[in-house]
Amino acid sequence: MSSYITKTTPGNTQWFLNDRFGMFIHFGLYSLPARHEWIKSYEQIPEEQYNKYFTHFNPDLLDAKAWAKQAKAAGMKYAILTTKHHEGFCLFDSKYTDYKSTNTPFGRDIVGEYVDAFRAEGLKIGFYYSLLDWHHPHFTIDWLHPRRNDPDALEQNKAKNFKNYVEYMKNQLTELMTNYGKIDILWFDFSYPDKSQSDPEHDIIPKDWMEPKGKDQWDSEELIKLIRSFQPEIIINNRLDIDQDLWTPEQNTPTEWVKHPQTGELVPWEACHTFSGSWGYFRDEMSWKKPRMLLELLINSVSCGGNLIMNVGPTARGCFDNRAKNSLKVYEEWMGCNSRSIYGCTMAEPEFTAPRGCRLTQSNNGKRLYIHLLDYPNGFLQIPELYGKVDYAQFLHDGSELRFSEGNFSHMGDVISNQQSCFTIQIPAIQPDVLVPVIEIFLK
Ligand code: GLC
């Protein structure tokens, strides 16, 4: 068994720590301008002007079943959809707002279609819910808000009652937690309990009179109680400014297991990444990640005991564009024959050190060790700690045997290792046609 003890948390993370790989989906009105999901704030777009995206919202090619099939084919086991992003637009038929997909020309409850389709493919269901809301009349203006530079911004705030907004969130979360069956993850976004977050490039700079938002403003404790009263097992992330089940490093892959900042305990964590930089569909973005990096993100996460969700931003027509499809295909191809080193795996026991250019994972029951060859070795791979512990070794993608020797190993008269207790695997000269080959070691 894996000897790692992670912090115990209120929700059920058992399936999650086994499944390891999911899909994030960012979809909303911002998919129409197609130049970042923060566009309303970045360009400080007034409500009347932003409204054109509401009146033109008609993703006629949206087929949640096709989304789910692509996620499953890529080896993803769960998904998280934006039910509402910072712009405030809801993809579900909430009773508490008119600002929802059912009131657009499209007229459909996208959350409902998503839940049905993904559940039918056997994937676990996650909801993203934005704590920020740049549409709600009682959401006070702060330094991230599109109206931050209005000369009368402070005056506007005086007419707002933030408690009404908190009430609105409670009502909507009740809808989301009761209308769609079992929900496995609730992914909040995000708290800013101090003024450290600024972004001068987008003119996002706190002013003296602006107030931060954290657990007291959101009433996070009550939100959590409410959610758990309907969905006791649900996994809740840490962005409510109260620790729950999940830590969520964003667009950055930790190089070691994420630790609780105060207690130092190992925590369940999930890195989230984009294919190209922004979360919403961004037509002109050129920074699409290369196939090799896509695989590294997944392998690096699991090798440090974490999960990965990769984001897709469907187009305004509601489907994945070719660049996203090609990126998903990279996972499909690799996971098709290598997923055993990902599902049910975690960081290898500390007694094993990864050889140069390699990443290790180990099955939770401790019986298999996986060596991911990010840099393909020349001829031999040596791992002294494996001496005497290996029953059998093979390439994972094709199950072909890899011969190994133990002890003082020499090749054509050249001594490769002087160590009496060395373990050496012989590696074929030519890299098999797999982007990142994996060696599967059966431990004794
Ligand atoms: C950020 C951004 C947001 C995105 C999220 C995903 O907090 O505000 O646009 O949805 O990260 O992790």
Side-chain angles (χ1 to χ4, degrees):
M1 287 302 280
S2 144
S3 62
Y4 298 111
I5 299 171
T6 44
K7 182 175 165 54
T8 38
T9 70
N12 172 14
T13 55
Q14 213 183 341
W15 67 268
F16 181 84
L17 297 175
N18 182 75
D19 287 0
R20 292 297 183 205
F21 188 32
M23 177 181 275
F24 216 167
I25 305 175
H26 275 69
F27 190 52
L29 298 183
Y30 49 78
S31 310
L32 279 70
R35 51 181 197 273
H36 206 282
E37 76 282 355
W38 273 63
I39 199 66
K40 191 176 184 184
S41 169
Y42 284 173
E43 297 181 11
Q44 299 175 51
I45 303 175
E47 208 56 47
E48 320 77 73
Q49 223 172 299
Y50 202 74
N51 199 41
K52 68 181 167 205
Y53 306 126
F54 182 85
T55 53
H56 286 95
F57 184 81
N58 196 6
D60 59 327
L61 299 179
L62 196 158
D63 173 5
K65 289 192 192 117
W67 291 1
K69 285 204 161 63
Q70 289 172 89
K72 186 173 183 177
M76 293 157 162
K77 295 279 197 180
Y78 63 100
I80 300 171
L81 169 71
T82 52
T83 58
K84 176 190 90 162
H85 203 262
H86 310 335
E87 64 181 2
F89 177 68
C90 298
L91 299 188
F92 60 106
D93 192 12
S94 172
K95 274 195 294 216
Y96 302 95
T97 183
D98 295 330
Y99 205 50
K100 53 184 177 182
S101 55
T102 43
N103 282 349
T104 64
F106 189 55
R108 283 155 48 185
D109 183 315
I110 297 168
V111 170
E113 293 182 18
Y114 152 79
V115 168
D116 292 345
F118 279 69
R119 208 174 268 148
E121 289 294 340
L123 279 84
K124 295 271 195 307
I125 305 297
F127 288 163
Y128 166 110
Y129 186 84
S130 173
L131 297 163
L132 287 69
D133 194 316
W134 300 326
H135 178 79
H136 197 281
H138 289 290
F139 189 91
T140 47
I141 297 171
D142 52 41
W143 65 100
L144 304 170
H145 196 283
R147 305 270 48 82
R148 59 188 170 275
N149 288 326
D150 284 6
D152 66 341
L154 183 54
E155 285 309 302
Q156 291 182 50
N157 266 3
K158 287 185 181 147
K160 294 175 191 281
N161 180 355
F162 197 72
K163 292 218 155 52
N164 292 350
Y165 173 65
V166 172
E167 204 47 42
Y168 173 74
M169 287 203 288
K170 288 179 181 163
N171 286 330
Q172 285 207 322
L173 288 163
T174 301
E175 294 182 309
L176 289 170
M177 294 299 103
T178 56
N179 291 344
Y180 300 96
K182 180 154 200 242
I183 305 304
D184 303 287
I185 303 182
L186 186 52
W187 215 99
F188 283 105
D189 198 27
F190 61 87
S191 294
Y192 36 111
D194 56 49
K195 292 190 175 179
S196 58
Q197 275 203 0
S198 69
D199 176 4
E201 195 192 326
H202 293 107
D203 197 18
I204 289 178
I205 302 161
K207 296 188 173 84
D208 285 346
W209 57 267
M210 292 173 166
E211 280 172 14
K213 293 183 173 75
K215 57 180 181 307
D216 297 333
Q217 288 73 24
W218 313 126
D219 202 8
S220 297
E221 249 173 68
E222 288 306 311
L223 287 182
I224 291 167
K225 268 192 217 151
L226 179 79
I227 293 154
R228 293 219 184 272
S229 74
F230 301 120
Q231 302 274 352
E233 296 208 316
I234 200 166
I235 294 174
I236 302 178
N237 71 348
N238 63 343
R239 295 196 181 185
L240 269 175
D241 193 24
I242 292 187
D243 294 344
Q244 283 292 295
D245 305 292
L246 182 60
W247 278 253
T248 55
E250 175 173 332
Q251 307 243 34
N252 115 59
T253 301
T255 49
E256 53 182 43
W257 200 311
V258 176
K259 295 194 183 76
H260 190 278
Q262 277 86 44
T263 66
E265 291 160 289
L266 303 180
V267 293
W269 66 272
E270 169 192 73
C272 50
H273 283 273
T274 58
F275 285 146
S276 63
S278 73
W279 301 88
Y281 176 64
F282 197 133
R283 184 191 55 211
D284 301 333
E285 204 161 46
M286 290 301 157
S287 48
W288 286 71
K289 293 184 174 70
K290 293 256 160 60
R292 157 80 190 234
M293 182 176 284
L294 297 177
L295 296 184
E296 278 181 31
L297 292 175
L298 178 59
I299 295 163
N300 284 342
S301 291
V302 181
S303 75
C304 293
N307 282 31
L308 171 72
I309 38 171
M310 282 307 299
N311 178 72
V312 182
T315 70
R317 301 286 302 275
C319 51
F320 300 170
D321 85 341
N322 282 338
R323 295 169 295 184
K325 282 186 181 157
N326 290 337
S327 302
L328 288 168
K329 282 247 152 48
V330 172
Y331 288 114
E332 178 174 345
E333 200 169 302
W334 189 82
M335 287 292 277
C337 53
N338 289 292
S339 63
R340 214 146 76 198
S341 74
I342 299 295
Y343 304 143
C345 286
T346 187
M347 183 162 111
E349 295 288 341
E351 64 178 296
F352 303 119
T353 35
R356 189 170 64 187
C358 298
R359 298 280 183 280
L360 302 179
T361 64
Q362 192 171 359
S363 59
N364 280 323
N365 65 12
K367 290 188 176 153
R368 309 257 177 113
L369 184 71
Y370 296 95
I371 309 172
H372 300 77
L373 306 177
L374 295 181
D375 293 341
Y376 194 73
N378 180 14
F380 307 97
L381 196 69
Q382 297 192 307
I383 309 183
E385 306 94 67
L386 281 176
Y387 180 85
K389 296 189 182 140
V390 177
D391 179 36
Y392 189 73
Q394 62 181 15
F395 268 135
L396 180 55
H397 69 279
D398 65 355
S400 61
E401 182 185 11
L402 289 166
R403 285 183 286 178
F404 60 87
S405 29
E406 294 184 292
N408 187 345
F409 182 75
S410 80
H411 175 64
M412 317 281 274
D414 283 335
V415 176
I416 304 287
S417 165
N418 280 321
Q419 283 179 21
Q420 288 307 321
S421 61
C422 197
F423 173 88
T424 308
I425 308 180
Q426 296 178 42
I427 306 288
I430 295 176
Q431 173 170 342
D433 188 18
V434 182
L435 213 45
V436 179
V438 182
I439 298 174
E440 182 172 48
I441 303 276
F442 295 64
L443 296 166
K444 278 183 188 159

